[in-house]
């Protein structure tokens, strides 16, 4: 007898495999529903037609017919009122990239099981994926209303993240306003609701409203960090926002995480002395805060405070060694006869970082400190702590720089050339690293040649063109510099530094000053807080 619907031997084999999986899954589901495994066996609602329907649905999905599979599963879910089957039907539609079908499945799911938070959450995700944020007001309201009161503030606080990719910031503001309206004056939720609305207002360009909401939130709840954290995010574009942050930081007790956020905001404005001061307060309050010690080391290097940098980085490594040793101390040693002195300093330093801060960064920075002191042997010693598995192009470049400073320029260049190219951009990065190395040892002509060859291999690469232009300027090849920078601007019109470099170079040579000023003005519009561009504007105005 002919097989129905053209069933082949391979398809029958696949059906048998799926049958086993389906039976096992449904058996486990039945056991879970009935309680402990020792409970008496109770027949589930799975009859032969339902089993066949589920099997056909999975077969359709396996064959790439996701929309048909979702229909099979939805029909089964509707009849059984089983949330797992609704979930599977929605998954099938999503995997088939059938967004409208997924929404239809979720609509039936919600009408059948009105209390399902999972259905609401999935509906919101699908709406945003389809660019239908304007239809999300009802499910968002439902989700927040169904959230336990103690957790509502957290849900409100995460609301703006949904709209990061929504596209229309003004529409997002309208939606957020409708969703948070019932929670703006409730004591448990008012701060989270106002800050969510403030973020949406700021994203839409309404900074004054955002500031008003933040001040209102801070006035009603001075101990809440959320207004200050948003103010720190806004500092780069809204000058008056910093006052809100400072008002919170003036409190006697400030969470270290908030101070670290303020340090990052200060760093974006090149206020490194103030950022380092914040981290000093953090380590005074939390002496075991590894991230703060690592950050303080980095700031101190930039500020050329080498003793403080070395002390901070060594403290960081000591803390990481303690963290790595703590779990080992809590468990029995593998060798009961091992001596506690068997572990030396090198072994503790190379322990994996259990909290995500990498000791390799500290070794790299300590190498930089030694190099800045003229201690090239010490710089190499720190680099030698890095294991082969952790060596990437940044480590190789640091090693090459130390070799070049010792006069071994050819070997240093060869070290970079031999570095593996694991990612598509590694070849460009190697060219930039080699040119930087040659520039540091005062061989700008050779550096220019390296970038010239790289630009032949990777035409229209903005980074390579810009760096070659900077070398042309150093070599007083002004015409080449201008051609290269104009090429960068043509490829990337919002490249602030290209506009600034060309404008500054013209002003420095007292050439075409109106054009130079126009270029720098454009750069200032693109990057209004860049101090180098501000300096260029002062110079061209002086020239004029």
């Amino acid at each position: 007898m002919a097989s129905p619907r053209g069933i082949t031997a391979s398809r029958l084999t696949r059906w048998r495999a799926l049958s086993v999986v389906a039976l096992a899954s449904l058996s486990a589901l039945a056991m879970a529903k009935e309680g402990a495994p020792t409970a008496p066996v109770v027949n589930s609602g799975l009859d032969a037609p339902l089993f066949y329907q589920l099997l056909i649905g999975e077969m359709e999905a396996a064959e790439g017919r996701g929309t048909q599979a979702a229909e099979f599963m939805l029909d089964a879910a509707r009849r059984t009122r089983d949330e797992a089957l609704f979930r599977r039907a929605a998954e099938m539609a999503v995997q088939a990239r059938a967004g409208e079908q997924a929404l239809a499945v979720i609509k039936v799911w919600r009408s059948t099981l009105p209390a399902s938070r999972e259905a609401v959450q999935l509906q919101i995700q699908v709406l945003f994926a389809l660019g239908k944020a304007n239809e999300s007001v009802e499910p968002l309201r439902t989700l927040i209303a169904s959230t336990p009161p103690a957790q509502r503030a957290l849900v409100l606080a995460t609301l703006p993240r949904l709209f990061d990719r929504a596209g229309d910031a003004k529409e997002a503001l309208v939606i957020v306003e409708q969703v948070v309206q019932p929670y703006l004056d409730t004591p448990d939720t008012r701060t989270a609701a106002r800050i969510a609305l403030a973020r949406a207002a700021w994203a839409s360009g309404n900074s004054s409203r955002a500031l008003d909401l933040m001040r209102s939130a801070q006035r009603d709840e001075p101990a809440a960090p959320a207004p200050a954290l948003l103010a720190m995010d806004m500092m780069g574009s809204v000058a008056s926002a910093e006052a809100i942050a400072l008002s919170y930081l003036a409190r006697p007790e400030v969470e270290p995480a908030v101070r670290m956020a303020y340090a990052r905001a200060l760093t974006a404005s090149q206020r490194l002395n103030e950022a380092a001061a914040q981290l000093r307060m953090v380590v005074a309050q939390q002496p075991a805060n590894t991230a703060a010690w690592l950050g303080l080391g980095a700031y101190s290097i930039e500020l050329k405070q080498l003793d403080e940098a070395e002390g901070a980085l060594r403290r960081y490594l000591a803390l990481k060694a303690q963290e790595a040793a703590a779990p080992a101390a809590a468990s029995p040693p593998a060798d009961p006869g091992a001596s506690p002195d068997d572990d030396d300093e090198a072994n503790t330093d190379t322990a994996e970082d259990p909290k995500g801060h990498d000791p390799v960064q500290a070794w790299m920075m300590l190498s930089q400190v030694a190099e800045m002191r003229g201690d090239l042997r010490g710089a190499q010693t720190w680099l030698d702590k890095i294991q082969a598995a952790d060596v990437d192009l940044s480590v190789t470049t640091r090693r090459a720089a130390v070799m070049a400073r010792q006069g071994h320029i050819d070997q240093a260049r060869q070290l970079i050339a031999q570095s593996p190219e694991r990612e598509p951009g590694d070849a460009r990065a190697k060219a930039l690293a080699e040119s930087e190395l040659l520039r540091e040892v005062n061989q700008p002509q050779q550096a220019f040649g390296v970038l010239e060859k790289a630009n032949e291999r990777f035409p229209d690469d903005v980074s390579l063109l810009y760096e070659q232009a900077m070398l042309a300027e150093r070599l007083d090849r002004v015409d080449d510099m201008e051609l290269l920078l104009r090429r960068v601007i043509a490829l990337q019109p919002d490249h602030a530094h290209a506009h600034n470099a060309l404008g500054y170079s013209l002003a420095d040579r007292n050439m075409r000053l109106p054009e130079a000023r126009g270029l720098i003005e454009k750069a200032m519009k693109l990057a209004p807080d860049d101090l180098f561009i501000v300096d260029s504007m002062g110079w061209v105005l002086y020239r004029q």
Side-chain angles (χ1 to χ4, degrees):
M1 184 173 65
S3 299
R5 299 182 61 189
I7 296 175
T8 62
S10 61
R11 180 171 292 187
L12 283 170
T13 301
R14 203 173 301 126
W15 275 28
R16 292 187 188 105
L18 284 167
S19 299
V20 173
V21 173
L23 283 169
S25 300
L26 289 163
S27 175
L29 181 62
M31 290 176 68
K33 285 182 176 180
E34 295 303 324
T38 55
V41 176
V42 178
N43 289 334
S44 72
L46 180 66
D47 54 17
L50 177 58
F51 175 75
Y52 182 75
Q53 185 172 9
L54 298 181
L55 188 61
I56 291 297
E58 293 296 344
M59 280 296 301
E60 292 291 305
E63 295 289 343
R65 293 185 286 273
T67 56
Q68 295 94 318
E71 288 297 330
F72 274 107
M73 205 60 65
L74 176 60
D75 182 64
R78 187 188 290 111
R79 289 192 293 108
T80 60
R81 302 175 62 87
D82 191 311
E83 185 153 50
L85 297 183
F86 278 116
R87 181 190 308 116
R88 182 65 181 133
E91 286 174 357
M92 287 173 165
V94 169
Q95 289 165 3
R97 301 184 182 276
E100 294 297 335
Q101 185 185 28
L103 287 176
V105 169
I106 295 167
K107 183 178 180 180
V108 177
W109 183 358
R110 288 191 61 190
S111 64
T112 306
L113 302 173
S116 174
R117 279 176 55 82
E118 185 179 357
V120 178
Q121 290 171 330
L122 186 57
Q123 182 180 15
I124 293 167
Q125 293 172 15
V126 173
L127 285 170
F128 276 86
L130 292 175
K132 294 186 171 188
N134 60 316
E135 298 179 19
S136 66
V137 173
E138 182 276 326
L140 284 170
R141 282 176 170 170
T142 301
L143 180 67
I144 297 169
S146 65
T147 301
Q151 299 172 16
R152 277 183 192 150
L154 180 61
V155 176
L156 288 164
T158 58
L159 189 61
R161 297 179 192 172
L162 280 171
F163 295 90
D164 285 346
R165 299 181 183 179
D168 190 337
K170 293 187 184 300
E171 180 185 69
L173 174 59
V174 173
I175 296 169
V176 172
E177 190 163 25
Q178 293 178 66
V179 172
V180 305
Q181 191 63 45
Y183 307 98
L184 288 171
D185 297 311
T186 304
D188 292 342
T189 58
R190 63 190 176 192
T191 297
R194 290 173 188 176
I195 296 306
L197 188 55
R199 284 192 178 276
W202 176 42
S204 71
N206 194 340
S207 298
S208 60
R209 186 179 184 193
L211 289 169
D212 287 343
L213 286 160
M214 291 155 62
R215 293 187 186 108
S216 174
Q218 190 173 66
R219 185 169 54 250
D220 287 343
E221 198 171 345
L229 290 169
L230 176 53
M232 293 168 195
D233 289 344
M234 295 173 63
M235 277 171 51
S237 58
V238 182
S240 55
E242 188 170 7
I244 297 173
L246 292 173
S247 176
Y248 179 82
L249 291 167
R251 293 172 51 79
E253 293 294 332
V254 176
E255 295 89 339
V258 179
R259 287 203 181 279
M260 293 181 71
Y262 184 51
R264 288 192 293 272
L266 292 168
T267 304
S269 300
Q270 300 297 312
R271 295 160 61 182
L272 300 186
N273 269 309
E274 296 171 74
Q278 292 296 318
L279 291 189
R280 291 188 194 104
M281 285 188 269
V282 171
V283 296
Q285 184 179 350
Q286 281 188 342
N289 190 318
T290 52
W293 284 113
L294 188 65
L296 182 57
Y299 287 131
S300 300
I301 290 173
E302 290 295 323
L303 296 168
K304 295 183 171 54
Q305 297 168 354
L306 302 185
D307 289 344
E308 181 176 40
E310 182 178 1
L313 294 168
R314 284 184 177 275
R315 179 62 179 154
Y316 165 83
L317 288 173
L319 289 168
K320 299 315 297 179
Q322 291 174 17
E323 288 178 4
S331 59
D335 180 2
S339 166
D341 298 327
D342 287 349
D343 293 330
D344 57 20
E345 180 183 355
N347 287 335
T348 57
D349 275 358
T350 56
E352 286 187 57
D353 183 351
K355 292 189 178 178
H357 302 119
D358 189 352
V360 172
Q361 297 179 54
W363 293 325
M364 290 273 286
M365 286 190 278
L366 283 164
S367 171
Q368 187 178 353
V369 169
E371 186 181 351
M372 292 170 74
R373 286 172 169 162
D375 180 10
L376 298 181
R377 184 180 295 275
Q380 187 61 55
T381 299
W382 284 113
L383 291 174
D384 287 343
K385 288 181 174 289
I386 301 172
Q387 302 299 301
D390 295 321
V391 173
D392 58 12
L393 185 57
S394 64
V395 176
T396 300
T397 301
R398 169 56 53 191
R399 285 179 172 163
V402 173
M403 293 174 67
R405 290 282 300 277
Q406 292 173 313
H408 307 304
I409 298 172
D410 290 340
Q411 294 94 318
R413 294 180 69 179
Q414 186 177 14
L415 185 64
I416 293 174
Q418 292 174 345
S419 178
E421 297 178 7
R422 299 187 180 94
E423 302 292 336
D426 283 351
R428 299 179 189 75
K430 285 167 63 174
L432 289 168
E434 186 179 359
S435 68
E436 178 65 23
L437 177 95
L438 291 167
R439 184 167 20 197
E440 287 182 1
V441 296
N442 200 30
Q443 294 189 8
Q445 187 62 56
Q446 290 87 335
F448 187 88
V450 168
L451 291 177
E452 196 169 33
K453 288 181 180 178
N455 275 317
E456 291 174 1
R457 181 179 175 187
F458 303 105
D460 296 341
D461 185 283
V462 168
S463 298
L464 294 171
L465 288 166
Y466 180 79
E467 292 301 321
Q468 189 181 359
M470 295 301 93
L471 283 167
E473 198 272 342
R474 182 171 172 178
L475 294 166
D476 204 28
R477 296 170 60 167
V478 181
D479 291 342
D480 288 336
M481 177 207 67
E482 183 169 350
L483 285 172
L484 288 163
L485 287 176
R486 290 198 182 281
R487 183 61 183 152
V488 170
I489 292 169
L491 290 168
Q492 189 175 323
D494 62 349
H495 198 300
H497 291 291
H499 286 88
N500 178 62
L502 182 53
Y504 181 85
S505 180
L506 293 173
D508 199 43
R509 291 170 173 79
N510 215 9
M511 297 167 51
R512 292 147 47 197
L513 295 181
E515 181 183 358
R517 180 171 175 174
L519 287 161
I520 297 170
E521 285 175 345
K522 174 67 172 177
M524 285 194 73
K525 288 180 181 178
L526 293 168
D529 298 313
D530 191 301
L531 299 182
F532 292 103
I533 297 174
V534 173
D535 178 72
S536 298
M537 179 57 72
W539 186 234
V540 73
L541 290 173
Y542 172 78
R543 284 296 203 188
Q544 286 187 319

